[in-house]
């Protein structure tokens, strides 16, 4: 470990020697912990980080004045769409995706560095239960979708295959996530195929460019955003691990989307057949001012432009078909080739510009008293995973249906959007649709028939409670054998055991 003298000299070069101002008061244990935290901070990089944070925060808020003139929607040749494509085209995409999965060329990568703070819990968001009848967490739903897509690909190609699961955590989520997976036997996945790694942490910075002390013996640190993926891939030799496994295509997604389709064969197949090195799933924006980033072009280069950077007038522009001109909403669901990720980590990562997040950062004052600020007092610098789109040689976007693939968990109940209640409703409504399409009918507790609504209400519960395990159906496929022509009383929990009961005997 570096000595106090060496660390102090580095902090002096970085202009951050104040981080040791309580050194004389610390016992040996806290001193060692503080040195361990400070030693990896390279002086020049720390000085530049603090300088850039203060400079970025000083810039006037809002979009660049000339942005509207530089914006363009993605050209049609870069776009694919589930709803606007014919069944044969969708079949070809799916078949190609399953082929690549069966060849062990596909991995999934989960961005799981965030805690459930906004949900009112102190543990990682993936461990959260939204109140499904089964009690499953986000992590369990995702693990079971991996198992099912492996099974489907293997059955189609007559082989056994593996979709490795890479999970990027942070200092806050690595330990709890690893322990949770061990407690649940990795949800019956092979632990060798679940690879957890940690993203970097960066100091929070005051508005005048000074790193913040959270306690006398600890710097206020924060994950470097989901765009910290690219440094983390290099730090932990993840791309080398993928190469050893033969992985060529990587599906990257965010932990909080309860409807996410891991290693989605249609998305993988679309991107592979288009020869894409980088791709993004999008959903049509629900309304012009919806607070989601827009996948579009700036100066002819693919990019995600944050909703706050687009003027209301531009957001309301309409295309010739009547839809929003800038309506391709980003949902943090991406395709990358391994070759593209290698190029980004080796050549392009230093070119990524950090984004400013102004936050309330607990800290100690000059006397060492803990202060919990009532208003924002610090800057956290983040990079975004989509900032690499600009480096793609062949970028594509793939539009999917929101009700089938996007319902994020961000806010605590009783928020009216992106809450445990809305995500639970989205999943149960999807499963109710699947059951009806497979020929099931439902009665209420009194035996009365429930309405066979083809599309349950957007802001209410479906007429019947129906939860279908991902181990039984990945995307609604194969349910007819269990449900066709059958009547059920709500609730229906279709797990593997119930499926075996419902499956007709082989003739």
């Amino acid at each position: 470990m570096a000595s106090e003298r060496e660390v102090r000299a580095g902090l002096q070069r970085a202009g951050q020697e104040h981080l040791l101002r309580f050194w004389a008061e610390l016992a040996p244990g806290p001193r060692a912990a503080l040195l361990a935290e400070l030693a990896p901070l390279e002086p020049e990089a720390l000085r530049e980080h603090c300088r850039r944070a203060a400079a970025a925060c000083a810039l006037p808020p809002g979009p660049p004045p000339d942005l509207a003139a530089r914006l363009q929607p993605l050209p049609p040749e870069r776009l694919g769409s589930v709803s606007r494509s014919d069944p044969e085209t969708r079949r070809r995409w799916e078949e190609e995706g399953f082929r690549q999965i069966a060849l062990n060329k596909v991995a999934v990568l989960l961005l799981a560095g965030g805690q459930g703070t906004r949900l009112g819990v102190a543990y990682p968001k993936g461990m959260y239960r939204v109140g499904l009848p089964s009690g499953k967490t986000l992590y369990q739903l995702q693990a079971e979708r991996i198992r099912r897509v492996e099974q489907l690909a293997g059955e189609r190609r007559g082989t056994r295959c593996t979709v490795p699961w890479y999970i990027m955590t942070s200092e806050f989520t690595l330990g709890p996530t690893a322990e949770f997976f061990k407690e649940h036997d990795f949800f019956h996945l092979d632990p060798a195929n679940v690879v957890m790694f940690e993203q970097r942490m960066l100091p929070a910075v005051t508005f005048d460019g000074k790193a913040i002390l959270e306690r006398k013996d600890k710097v206020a640190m924060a994950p470097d955003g989901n765009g910290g993926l690219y440094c983390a891939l290099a730090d932990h030799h993840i791309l080398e691990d993928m190469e050893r496994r033969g992985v060529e295509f990587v599906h990257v997604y965010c932990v909080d989307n309860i409807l996410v389709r891991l290693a989605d064969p249609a998305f993988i197949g679309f991107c592979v057949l288009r020869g894409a090195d980088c791709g993004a799933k999008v959903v049509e924006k629900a309304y012009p001012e919806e607070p989601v980033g827009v996948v579009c072009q700036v100066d002819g280069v693919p990019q995600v432009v944050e909703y706050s950077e687009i003027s209301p007038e531009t957001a309301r522009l309409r295309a010739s078909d009547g839809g929003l001109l800038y309506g391709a909403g980003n949902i943090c669901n991406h395709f990358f080739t391994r070759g593209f990720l290698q190029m980004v980590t080796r050549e392009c990562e230093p070119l990524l510009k950090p984004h400013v997040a102004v936050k309330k950062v607990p800290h100690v004052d000059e006397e060492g008293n803990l202060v919990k600020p009532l208003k924002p007092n610090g800057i956290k610098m983040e990079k975004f995973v989509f900032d690499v789109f600009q480096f793609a040689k062949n970028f594509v976007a793939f539009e999917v249906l929101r009700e089938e693939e996007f319902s994020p968990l961000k806010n605590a109940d009783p928020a009216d959007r992106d809450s445990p209640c809305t995500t639970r409703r989205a999943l149960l409504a999807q499963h109710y649709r699947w059951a009806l399409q497979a020929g099931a009918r439902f009665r209420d507790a009194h035996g009365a028939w429930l309405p066979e609504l083809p599309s349950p209400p957007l802001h209410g519960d479906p007429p019947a409670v129906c939860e279908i395990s991902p181990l039984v159906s990945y995307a609604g496929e194969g349910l007819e054998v269990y449900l066709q022509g059958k009547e059920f009383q709500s609730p229906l929990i279709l797990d593997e055991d119930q499926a075996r009961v419902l499956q007709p005997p082989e003739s």
Side-chain angles (χ1 to χ4, degrees):
M1 181 189 294
S3 68
E4 182 251 337
R5 178 181 295 178
E6 291 169 323
V7 168
R8 189 178 294 277
L11 292 176
Q12 285 176 333
R13 294 202 301 276
Q16 304 294 324
E17 192 180 2
H18 65 283
L19 295 176
L20 288 176
R21 67 181 184 269
F22 298 108
W23 182 262
E25 304 176 28
L26 298 179
R31 282 187 174 188
L34 182 59
L35 285 183
E37 187 172 55
L38 293 172
L41 299 176
E42 198 275 328
E44 283 68 33
L46 177 60
R47 183 180 65 240
E48 181 63 10
H49 167 71
C50 295
R51 185 199 67 77
R52 290 176 71 176
C57 189
L59 294 174
D66 61 342
L67 180 63
R70 299 161 57 204
L71 278 182
Q72 293 174 308
L74 288 175
E77 61 270 20
R78 288 187 183 270
L79 281 170
S81 171
V82 168
S83 62
R84 297 183 177 93
S85 300
D86 60 84
E88 175 58 23
T89 298
R90 295 197 299 270
R91 187 200 65 76
R92 284 193 297 106
W93 292 339
E94 192 172 270
E95 191 60 35
E96 178 62 20
F98 276 125
R99 188 176 78 88
Q100 298 296 341
I101 293 169
L103 292 171
N104 297 304
K105 290 188 176 183
V106 177
V108 292
L109 196 156
L110 166 59
L111 305 172
Q115 294 172 290
T117 309
R118 285 168 62 184
L119 295 169
V121 298
Y123 50 79
K125 199 182 284 188
M127 293 163 54
Y128 196 87
R129 291 177 171 85
V130 301
L132 294 173
S134 65
K136 290 178 181 177
T137 62
L138 296 179
Y139 281 148
Q140 183 171 354
L141 291 170
Q142 293 167 22
E144 291 180 353
R145 287 177 189 142
I146 291 175
R147 290 172 59 192
R148 177 64 177 170
V149 82
E150 289 175 339
Q151 178 190 0
L152 290 171
E155 289 174 350
R156 286 181 178 229
R157 310 297 295 191
T159 186
R160 290 179 62 86
C161 57
T162 296
V163 176
W165 195 7
Y166 295 90
I167 303 177
M168 185 179 80
T169 64
S170 68
E171 175 183 294
F172 305 129
T173 62
L174 177 58
T177 297
E179 187 61 32
F180 189 74
F181 271 69
K182 290 175 185 173
E183 288 174 1
H184 292 84
D185 194 26
F186 287 79
F187 306 103
H188 303 289
L189 293 167
D190 183 345
N193 296 325
V194 180
V195 180
M196 298 182 192
F197 61 103
E198 192 173 339
Q199 68 185 113
R200 294 181 183 180
M201 304 287 284
L202 294 173
V205 180
T206 62
F207 299 140
D208 58 354
K210 296 296 184 182
I212 297 174
L213 270 180
E214 181 180 311
R215 299 191 310 260
K216 292 180 180 181
D217 61 345
K218 180 168 177 53
V219 182
M221 304 287 278
D224 55 355
N226 57 28
L229 169 66
Y230 307 108
C231 282
L233 291 175
D235 290 345
H236 301 282
H237 309 290
I238 299 300
L239 295 176
E240 291 83 350
D241 184 83
M242 290 181 181
E243 185 173 13
R244 285 193 296 272
R245 297 172 186 263
V247 169
E248 297 292 339
F249 310 111
V250 186
H251 180 204
V252 175
Y253 70 99
C254 199
V255 69
D256 59 10
N257 179 11
I258 198 169
L259 300 181
V260 64
R261 295 184 180 178
L262 289 83
D264 177 15
F267 183 38
I268 300 295
F270 167 76
C271 292
V272 171
L273 290 173
R274 288 290 187 94
D277 55 355
C278 176
K281 273 193 182 183
V282 299
V283 297
E284 186 175 358
K285 288 181 68 175
Y287 52 93
E289 297 81 17
E290 183 181 12
V292 296
V294 172
V295 180
C296 57
Q297 293 188 148
V298 178
D299 298 328
V301 176
Q303 191 170 315
V304 174
V305 177
E306 287 299 293
Y307 65 92
S308 58
E309 297 178 332
I310 298 179
S311 70
E313 296 76 21
T314 301
R316 288 193 289 265
L317 291 175
R318 297 281 171 177
S320 58
D321 64 359
L324 291 173
L325 187 64
Y326 297 104
N330 177 52
I331 61 172
C332 195
N333 194 315
H334 309 310
F335 166 94
F336 300 114
T337 64
R338 180 171 53 80
F340 176 77
L341 291 174
Q342 286 173 326
M343 183 267 292
V344 167
T345 58
R346 292 171 182 170
E347 303 171 21
C348 304
E349 198 286 330
L351 304 177
L352 299 178
K353 295 180 180 178
H355 302 259
V356 172
V358 179
K359 303 281 188 179
K360 299 175 188 175
V361 182
H363 62 282
V364 290
D365 62 18
E366 292 301 319
E367 286 73 44
N369 301 310
L370 178 62
V371 178
K372 292 188 176 180
L374 300 177
K375 60 181 181 180
N377 65 309
I379 307 160
K380 294 182 179 181
M381 298 291 279
E382 302 174 325
K383 294 179 180 179
F384 295 156
V385 67
F386 54 70
D387 287 338
V388 300
F389 291 178
Q390 61 184 305
F391 306 122
K393 292 183 172 62
N394 187 11
F395 175 85
V396 295
F398 189 64
E399 186 184 73
V400 297
L401 297 172
R402 181 188 296 255
E403 62 267 27
E404 291 294 333
E405 298 204 37
F406 184 56
S407 183
L409 176 63
K410 297 186 181 297
N411 307 310
D413 285 330
D416 59 0
R417 64 192 306 270
D418 302 343
S419 67
C421 181
T422 61
T423 54
R424 180 178 66 253
R425 282 174 172 171
L427 187 70
L428 295 179
Q430 179 190 66
H431 291 183
Y432 181 67
R433 289 193 302 271
W434 289 357
L436 292 182
Q437 290 161 7
R441 297 187 69 190
F442 291 88
R443 294 181 185 270
D444 65 16
H446 305 290
W449 289 111
L450 291 170
E452 296 186 34
L453 299 176
S455 181
L458 289 177
H459 301 295
D461 293 318
V465 173
C466 174
E467 183 183 352
I468 300 170
S469 168
L471 297 171
V472 174
S473 185
Y474 174 84
E477 79 291 332
L479 293 174
E480 292 81 5
V481 68
Y482 312 116
L483 305 180
Q484 180 73 49
K486 293 188 173 70
E487 301 172 6
F488 300 94
Q489 190 172 40
S490 177
L492 168 64
I493 313 301
L494 185 56
D495 57 18
E496 285 186 296
D497 291 337
Q498 180 70 2
R500 280 190 284 268
V501 171
L502 293 171
Q503 187 166 8
E506 296 184 12
S507 55

